[in-house]
Amino acid sequence: MPKTFLYASASSEHEATSSSGDEPLKGPASDHRDKVRILVIGRPTAVNRVISEMSHVGFSDSIEWSKPIPTDRQRESMRVLTRYVFADS
């Protein structure tokens, strides 16, 4: 797995993000890190299959992804994975 990804537990993620969750990370625990969101959008069975395959190759664990979020299209949902990466200096 690429070493640029940082993993955070739910408690440390809360400490490292702003109240809105959309502002750049600040503070000693988050220096030089950026928040990145990865989206998978499609039919729920296809989305789950992609997430399962990503888990199988070691990219992410299935439990790291959000619960399915409906989109404005019928039979379509999305799931989100939030990661932190080292920022370019």
Side-chain angles (χ1 to χ4, degrees):
M1 173 149 338
K3 294 189 185 235
T4 57
F5 284 121
L6 299 173
Y7 298 93
S9 67
S11 62
S12 63
E13 179 179 339
H14 177 71
E15 293 168 1
T17 59
S18 66
S19 59
S20 70
D22 292 330
E23 296 174 25
L25 299 172
K26 298 176 183 164
S30 60
D31 288 346
H32 310 295
R33 298 191 302 172
D34 287 324
K35 183 187 230 180
V36 176
R37 290 188 179 111
I38 301 164
L39 303 174
V40 178
I41 303 171
R43 289 184 312 131
T45 54
V47 168
N48 290 337
R49 181 175 179 166
V50 167
I51 290 171
S52 177
E53 290 173 1
M54 289 177 144
S55 178
H56 182 72
V57 299
F59 179 78
S60 64
D61 288 328
S62 298
I63 62 171
E64 294 178 283
W65 290 83
S66 71
K67 293 181 180 183
I69 303 165
T71 68
D72 60 349
R73 296 182 177 199
Q74 286 187 334
R75 297 182 305 250
E76 184 179 77
S77 67
M78 70 177 175
R79 292 181 67 184
V80 182
L81 173 67
T82 301
R83 290 280 176 90
Y84 296 93
V85 296
F86 290 107
D88 293 333
S89 298

